[in-house]
């Protein structure tokens, strides 16, 4: 547990302090729960939100309140993603001895952190509270969730469901709490007073988390780049790019922001993307849409996460009503080429390169502008090309022949940990590259016993054999 912190004498500080007091009392009550008891709690926390009738209500309310994304995307997240996240951790041992290393004679014991301060974004406000809460409780922690103001009622609805489930199982409801009227001041106070921050949100909020003085797990900005090489199944690639690009109207930071095609398949891939519902931007569209999508160099909150025809209508661009995403030919990267950055919209920049080596170089250049360390992907049947991309890019995740947005945070078709918190490593200014889950939300005590036979340092002519005759 963290040492007691000095609390400022403000209304916001007092409000958070009261919530923290209740959270600490609740956490203390479950500190000695068994694995079976904890797993029952998290199972109930998911069920009360994903069950038929409730999931539909949450999905619709999320769209109505946030005005971001679409019903189908929200329903998949609250109904399917939460189930998958539960399934991913339910059999994990998170209490007591969680690992024994017999070779080194070490025993590792998991212990709760205390109270997690969780920041929830406007783009994924339906499943994020559930997934963060079950991972916190899996480690026998309490959690206080600070929602984006644009989704505060949705957040309260979900948290209230979890609190009710906890009470019905005899556990304290205050294990899960929500800031009901969020403000920057309250969020800052939460970050000051909690034991660990789990921050999912914009770069500004994540930076605040890291500079709060409280240990923090933050995530970097997304800007996924997808390579399609000469060995790819183009029908499969086009379909999966469409699935990823249009999922929840590109609310996810993992949406395909850029597609990089090797020149030998460029024209055929473009044709298939159009067949999948893509609109190829025409002369003049670049500037018109950019003028609406960005304001003073920043994404316009009123223009992001909209259906393609709606965004184009805002920009004065006419497109057929059946087009679901926009293909924007691009050649450069950086501020002078805004479509090379994250767009939070159903627009994908489309590039042509000669080969996989150019694709690796372009991916790094694009993500040096925005999204370094987050993720990239490739459609390929060449292990050599796949490993060239993986070895050559500064990225934490490489999705192979999978739709990026529903895959890099974990899905049923891969082994990635289920989460909505994607660490980007030092490339993205984060402390971890991993998909963040309960193991990041516990302290671990290492028990070290003497080795049966002590290790022996080899003789110099053995230990230094490779260099002893090469250096003075």
């Amino acid at each position: 547990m963290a040492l007691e912190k000095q609390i400022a004498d403000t209304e916001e500080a007092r409000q958070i302090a009261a919530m923290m007091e209740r959270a600490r009392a609740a956490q203390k009550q479950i500190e000695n729960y068994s694995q079976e008891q904890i797993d029952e709690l998290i199972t109930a926390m998911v069920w009360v939100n994903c069950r038929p009738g409730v999931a539909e209500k949450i999905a619709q309310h999320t769209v109505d309140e946030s005005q971001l994304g679409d019903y189908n995307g929200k329903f998949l997240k609250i109904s399917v993603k939460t189930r998958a996240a539960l399934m991913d951790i339910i059999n994990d041992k998170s209490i007591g001895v969680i690992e024994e290393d017999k070779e080194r004679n070490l025993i590792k014991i998991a212990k709760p952190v205390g109270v997690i301060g969780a920041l929830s974004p406007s783009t994924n406000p339906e499943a994020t509270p559930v997934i963060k809460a079950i991972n916190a409780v899996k480690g026998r922690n309490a959690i206080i969730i600070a929602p984006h103001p644009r989704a505060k009622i949705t957040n309260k609805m979900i948290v209230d469901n979890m609190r009710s489930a906890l009470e019905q199982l005899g556990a304290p409801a205050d294990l899960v709490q929500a800031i009901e009227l969020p403000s920057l001041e309250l969020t800052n106070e939460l970050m000051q007073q909690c034991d660990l921050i789990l921050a999912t949100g914009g770069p500004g909020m994540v930076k605040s988390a890291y500079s709060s003085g409280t240990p923090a797990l933050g995530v970097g900005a997304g800007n996924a780049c997808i390579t399609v090489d000469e060995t790819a199944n183009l029908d499969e690639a086009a379909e999966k790019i469409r699935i990823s690009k249009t999922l929840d109207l590109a609310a996810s930071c993992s949406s395909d922001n850029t597609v990089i095609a090797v020149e030998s398949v460029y024209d055929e891939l473009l044709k298939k993307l159009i067949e999948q519902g893509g609109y190829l931007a025409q002369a003049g569209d670049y500037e018109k849409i950019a003028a609406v999508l960005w304001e003073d160099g920043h994404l316009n909150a009123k223009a992001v996460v909209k259906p393609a025809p709606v965004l184009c209508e805002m920009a004065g661009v006419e497109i057929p009503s059946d087009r679901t995403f926009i293909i924007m030919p691009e050649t450069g990267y950086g501020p002078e080429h805004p479509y090379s950055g994250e767009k939070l919209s159903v627009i994908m920049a489309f590039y042509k390169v000669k080969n996989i080596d150019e694709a690796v170089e372009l991916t790094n250049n694009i993500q040096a502008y925005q999204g370094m360390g987050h993720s990239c992907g490739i459609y390929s049947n060449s292990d050599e090309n796949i490993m060239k991309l993986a070895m050559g890019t500064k990225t934490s995740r490489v999705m192979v022949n999978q739709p990026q947005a529903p895959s890099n945070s974990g899905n049923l078709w891969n082994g990635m940990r289920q989460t909505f918190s994607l660490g980007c490593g030092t490339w993205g200014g984060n402390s971890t590259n991993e998909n963040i889950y309960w193991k990041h939300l516990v302290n671990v005590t290492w028990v070290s016993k003497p080795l049966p036979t002590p290790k022996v340092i080899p003789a110099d002519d053995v230990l230094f054999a490779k260099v002893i005759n090469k250096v003075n």
Side-chain angles (χ1 to χ4, degrees), residues 331-407:
T331 56
Y333 47 86
E336 299 303 314
H337 300 270
Y339 294 99
S340 66
E342 186 176 17
K343 294 169 278 297
L344 283 178
S345 63
V346 288
I347 302 173
M348 47 165 274
F350 195 48
Y351 292 80
K352 181 190 294 186
V353 294
K354 290 182 180 178
N355 51 41
I356 188 65
D357 296 309
E358 282 195 5
V360 171
E361 181 181 9
L362 180 58
T363 297
N364 282 332
N365 287 332
I366 290 171
Q367 294 192 326
Y369 168 49
Q370 285 183 9
M372 186 72 82
H374 194 284
S375 56
C376 63
I378 184 169
Y379 290 94
S380 173
N381 287 298
S382 164
D383 286 339
E384 180 182 357
N385 284 353
I386 291 166
M387 292 308 296
K388 270 191 177 183
L389 185 75
M391 295 292 287
T393 52
K394 297 176 180 179
T395 189
S396 301
R397 295 158 200 85
V398 178
M399 294 296 105
V400 179
N401 297 325
Q402 300 172 65
Q404 185 77 214
S407 296

